[in-house]
Amino acid sequence: MIPLLALLALLIVIYLTAGALILYHLYKYRLPPTPLLLAHQSSDKTSLIAGIFILVSLAIIGAVLWLAISTPWGDIAATLQSLKR
Amino acid sequence: MINITEQEKIITIVRRHIWIFASSAIVFFTLALLPLAVFPILKVLLPIFQSPLTNLYWMLYGIFFLFLFLRFMIDWMRYYLDFWIITDRKIIDVEFLNLFNHKIVEFPVSKIQDVTVRVDGMMPVFLNYGDVHIETASENTSLEIPQIPDPNGMKDIILNLLTKGENHVRTQQVDANQA
């Protein structure tokens, strides 16, 4: 099960890198909040969306890690072995 | 970055029609909810899906959801960071192509030569969105404003700006001749 856990860790690292890139872009290229531009926008939703993105990501990553820790990997290996037979 | 002077007047800021983002949101929610709906059926049909394989299922679903969510975020960014600012002097095209490709182009209103509107397809006709194609005499010869709501209204705004600009130039010429 070690390859599976390594793959899991790799996917989470890739996700975090992409997520960081997205947040960087979101803040760098959003409309500058000058009064002139804000007069034409009801509100700037960048912070709200970034907040939702961070919270959901952390919640899911936390759940995945908790599942990885609490999973009886020996039982899964035995189940998969019995399936092969 | 975006250059707008204090003397300039912003007429409108336009993004793609909300349906463009909503359609990708529908795909996201369908794909995200599908494994949740399928799980009880799998549990009844396949006894192997009883614990401990349940944990593995949810773990794989978690990873799948994360990448689906990433895709959804990129779609939202494409909707939110792709916009056009129409001022009384220029059109600013801010394009988010992908995470490593971002483009800002300015087109002076005085250089606009031709404006074409295209509403093509069932949804664009029902929801009144379409493309506005602008031909200019500047270095960047053409500008496409795709899938915006009320493209005919946008065409009118641009043509009005053009007319006002021409009148302004004519008035200046008359003033110069009189002087």
Side-chain angles (χ1 to χ4, degrees), chain A residues 26-34 37-38 40-41 44 46, chain B residues 1-2 4 10 13 15 80-81 83 85 94:
Chain A
L26 203 55
Y27 277 99
K28 191 175 178 195
Y29 294 113
R30 69 172 171 171
L31 272 177
T34 57
L37 287 169
L38 281 178
H40 288 268
Q41 296 225 115
D44 181 23
T46 312
Chain B
M1 284 314 287
I2 303 163
I4 299 172
I10 297 174
I13 296 172
R15 289 191 169 83
Y80 198 69
L81 297 183
F83 55 89
I85 303 173
V94 185

Side-chain angles (χ1 to χ4, degrees), chain A residues 15 25 29 40-41 45, chain B residues 10 15 55 66 80 99 102:
Chain A
Y15 178 81
H25 250 81
Y29 294 113
H40 288 268
Q41 296 225 115
K45 294 176 187 72
Chain B
I10 297 174
R15 289 191 169 83
N55 276 15
L66 280 178
Y80 198 69
L99 281 178
H102 199 267

Side-chain angles (χ1 to χ4, degrees), chain B residues 26-39:
Chain B
I26 290 168
V27 173
F28 165 73
F29 282 110
T30 308
L31 288 176
L33 294 175
L34 201 66
L36 298 176
V38 164
F39 183 68

Side-chain angles (χ1 to χ4, degrees), chain A residues 2-3 5 11 13 24 29-30 39-40 49-50 53 62 64 70 73 78:
Chain A
I2 287 169
L5 285 173
L11 287 172
V13 168
Y24 169 76
Y29 294 113
R30 69 172 171 171
H40 288 268
I49 297 292
F53 178 64
V64 168
S70 65
W73 291 103

Side-chain angles (χ1 to χ4, degrees), chain B residues 156-167:
Chain B
D156 292 343
I157 289 173
I158 295 167
L159 291 180
N160 274 343
L161 286 175
L162 206 56
T163 317
K164 272 181 198 165
E166 280 169 3
N167 286 343

